Amino acid sequence: MDYLEKYGYTPAEEAIASRIQAIAADRNAVASPEVLKKCFSLMDLTTLKSNDTVESVCKLVDKVTRLTQEYPSYPLPASICVYPNFATVVRDRRCSPELHVTTVASCFPSAQSFLEVKVQECVLAVRGGADEVDIVLALNAFLAEDYAAASREIEEMRAAIDAEAAKQGRKVVLKVILETGLLATPERIARASFLAMEAGADFIKTSTGKVEVNATPMAAYVMCECIKAFYAKTGRKVGFKAAGGISNDQDALLYYCIGAAVLGEDWLNKDYFRFGVSRLGNSLMGAIEQKTVSFF
């Protein structure tokens, strides 16, 4: 199957680069405190370190609780993103269910394991309290152009997540990480985007943050165009998440403006647009407060 032909989309790399340049030049025109706070509300505040502990995860959750007390005009971040073994820690300690529990899964970040292991990890993440699960596209299949196998993995994890969530009377969001830096070309990024959306992704996400090249404006633009084409053909809205290397307010504004330019205002909320970040919070707060902030 040719996904690009099916959805009538082929990335026009030079035109996209020109459009990104124009968006970047204009991003400060929208940099109001309201927009910066909106970007803050779109963060999946993330800790995915090898030395994460229950204590360190609790400290991050407690910082968000303190935020509500010290900065009451600020929105909550969309979620706290952790390894799946910490899902219950975040669920039990968060200040509000509006602060979602996001976990990575599917043997993050490489996805190099048995499908049965990936599926079970997703089930355990949901059982532990995950509201959202971020899995990784099976690049070993996708790069070999075995699209059926890559799709089947997502479908099986989607089904397992849904079944476990249904036992608890709730729904869980599935995000599929494409690892765009390893896909390398706009055409591969587009094919991976369509494959993931067809297989049941609620969001498509740029990167794990664990490889040399993570989120890029080009990848984001292509993915957003694919989301738009998929919506036009199917009527189903899929979200976009930029992750990896988004560390300051200028980065956030650029991706926010790319989303606005390609998808429109209807996508610019936490149901359809996210930033996966570990360092962005302080920069956004500093831009809002007009001073250096070291809160997170």
Side-chain angles (χ1 to χ4, degrees):
M1 180 194 342
D2 186 341
Y3 288 102
L4 305 189
E5 183 178 337
K6 179 176 180 178
Y7 289 95
Y9 174 72
T10 301
E13 196 164 354
E14 289 186 10
I16 292 171
S18 176
R19 186 75 183 108
I20 290 170
Q21 188 175 13
I23 291 169
D26 291 341
R27 67 186 134 174
N28 284 325
V30 303
S32 66
E34 291 75 23
V35 168
L36 292 167
K37 284 184 179 180
K38 193 170 185 180
C39 289
F40 191 91
S41 76
L42 304 176
M43 294 191 305
D44 289 346
L45 198 60
T46 301
T47 181
L48 295 170
K49 302 187 183 104
S50 296
N51 61 345
D52 283 340
T53 63
V54 169
E55 182 182 10
S56 67
V57 171
C58 285
K59 284 181 178 178
L60 180 59
V61 179
D62 289 347
K63 285 180 181 179
V64 179
T65 301
R66 189 157 55 85
L67 175 82
T68 65
Q69 300 159 355
E70 297 182 19
Y71 294 87
S73 69
Y74 278 59
L76 286 170
S79 80
I80 292 179
C81 179
V82 293
Y83 282 113
N85 47 307
F86 295 115
T88 303
V89 175
V90 179
R91 181 197 65 190
D92 292 347
R93 201 172 181 92
R94 61 185 169 176
C95 58
S96 167
E98 292 299 309
L99 178 67
H100 279 191
V101 180
T102 297
T103 76
V104 295
S106 75
C107 300
F108 176 97
S110 69
Q112 295 283 16
S113 190
F114 304 102
L115 177 56
E116 294 87 347
V117 174
K118 299 179 191 181
V119 167
Q120 184 64 8
E121 189 176 42
C122 290
V123 170
L124 292 173
V126 174
R127 195 172 296 167
D131 300 299
E132 307 181 8
V133 178
D134 292 16
I135 66 171
V136 185
L137 174 69
L139 291 181
N140 49 14
F142 183 86
L143 293 176
E145 298 185 7
D146 189 349
Y147 300 138
S151 180
R152 185 170 61 251
E153 288 212 3
I154 296 171
E155 289 169 355
E156 290 202 24
M157 284 183 272
R158 167 93 267 179
I161 287 167
D162 288 347
E164 185 61 32
K167 293 177 185 177
Q168 303 173 29
R170 61 193 185 95
K171 292 184 179 296
V172 169
V173 170
L174 175 65
K175 307 192 199 86
V176 177
I177 305 166
L178 307 184
E179 202 68 288
T180 54
L182 298 182
L183 296 179
T185 70
E187 290 78 15
R188 275 182 176 165
I189 292 168
R191 288 189 178 94
S193 297
F194 290 127
L195 182 153
M197 290 188 286
E198 279 197 358
D202 295 310
F203 275 74
I204 51 174
K205 175 179 170 182
T206 58
S207 320
T208 62
K210 303 295 186 182
V211 296
E212 187 174 345
V213 177
N214 290 289
T216 65
M218 175 66 76
Y221 202 102
V222 169
M223 290 168 68
C224 287
E225 287 200 314
C226 291
I227 290 168
K228 185 177 181 179
F230 185 79
Y231 177 68
K233 191 168 185 69
T234 69
R236 186 165 77 86
K237 288 176 74 171
V238 174
F240 168 77
K241 179 174 174 178
I246 302 166
S247 60
N248 59 60
D249 58 295
Q250 290 295 299
D251 292 337
L253 284 169
L254 177 55
Y255 287 105
Y256 181 91
C257 289
I258 288 171
V262 179
L263 295 170
E265 292 292 327
D266 286 350
W267 259 266
L268 296 179
N269 58 71
K270 66 181 182 180
D271 291 334
Y272 296 108
F273 202 93
R274 297 288 181 85
F275 301 111
V277 299
S278 59
R279 294 172 291 164
L280 178 62
N282 286 335
S283 181
L284 286 174
M285 293 177 75
I288 294 163
E289 302 294 328
Q290 291 294 292
K291 63 182 181 182
T292 301
V293 175
S294 299
F295 186 86
F296 290 105

